[in-house]
Amino acid sequence: MKLLKKDELKSHDVYEFCYAKDRLNHWNQDSLYLIDEECWRLAPYLDQTFSNFAYYGSQKVKLTDWEKTRQLALEEDAQEESMILFFNEINEWIKKDMNQDDHFWILGL
């Protein structure tokens, strides 16, 4: 599961991980992007954490919910290096949030 920066995008079929301050905007420079074909690997864990995850809209993700999603994924895919790297990259991105918000957004297709 590879996360992309805005300037690496080749398609618009992506999920945008954006900071709380940016949720009303799309295509933010400091967001991370996951192509839709790779989101299927994350979907089972999102569905366990959120009762109605907004795959085609905006989903507020509290950091506690993200941690639950991470734990579920790594329990099942603990040996999958790309999954570990994915969550490590997201966690590093979260730490860079200048506002230190308790949530971020995933903007769907």
Side-chain angles (χ1 to χ4, degrees), residues 47-60:
D47 292 343
Q48 289 179 60
T49 303
F50 302 93
S51 59
N52 290 308
F53 189 84
Y55 289 99
Y56 299 99
S58 300
Q59 178 69 50
K60 182 178 183 177

Side-chain angles (χ1 to χ4, degrees), residues 7-79:
D7 59 345
E8 298 173 309
L9 294 177
K10 296 189 181 0
S11 166
H12 286 71
D13 294 334
V14 293
Y15 289 88
E16 180 176 354
F17 289 69
C18 71
Y19 292 125
K21 68 178 179 58
D22 294 327
R23 87 165 176 89
L24 298 177
N25 302 312
H26 288 279
W27 313 113
N28 296 289
Q29 195 64 37
D30 57 356
S31 290
L32 295 176
Y33 299 87
L34 179 66
I35 61 172
D36 64 334
E37 289 92 7
E38 291 196 16
C39 190
W40 67 268
R41 294 184 58 203
L42 190 58
Y45 315 113
L46 293 171
D47 292 343
Q48 289 179 60
T49 303
F50 302 93
S51 59
N52 290 308
F53 189 84
Y55 289 99
Y56 299 99
S58 300
Q59 178 69 50
K60 182 178 183 177
V61 180
K62 292 183 179 184
L63 297 183
T64 53
D65 291 333
W66 184 249
E67 179 59 23
K68 179 180 176 184
T69 304
R70 186 188 72 80
Q71 288 176 355
L72 289 167
L74 295 181
E75 283 173 11
E76 192 163 314
D77 286 331
Q79 302 304 317

Side-chain angles (χ1 to χ4, degrees), residues 67-106:
E67 179 59 23
K68 179 180 176 184
T69 304
R70 186 188 72 80
Q71 288 176 355
L72 289 167
L74 295 181
E75 283 173 11
E76 192 163 314
D77 286 331
Q79 302 304 317
E80 179 58 45
E81 186 175 346
S82 66
M83 187 71 77
I84 295 166
L85 293 173
F86 169 80
F87 282 103
N88 286 345
E89 190 170 351
I90 292 287
N91 286 345
E92 287 302 312
W93 172 80
I94 289 169
K95 289 178 188 176
K96 293 177 184 175
D97 181 4
M98 302 281 273
N99 296 334
Q100 297 298 301
D101 290 302
D102 67 345
H103 68 281
F104 61 90
W105 289 84
I106 299 178

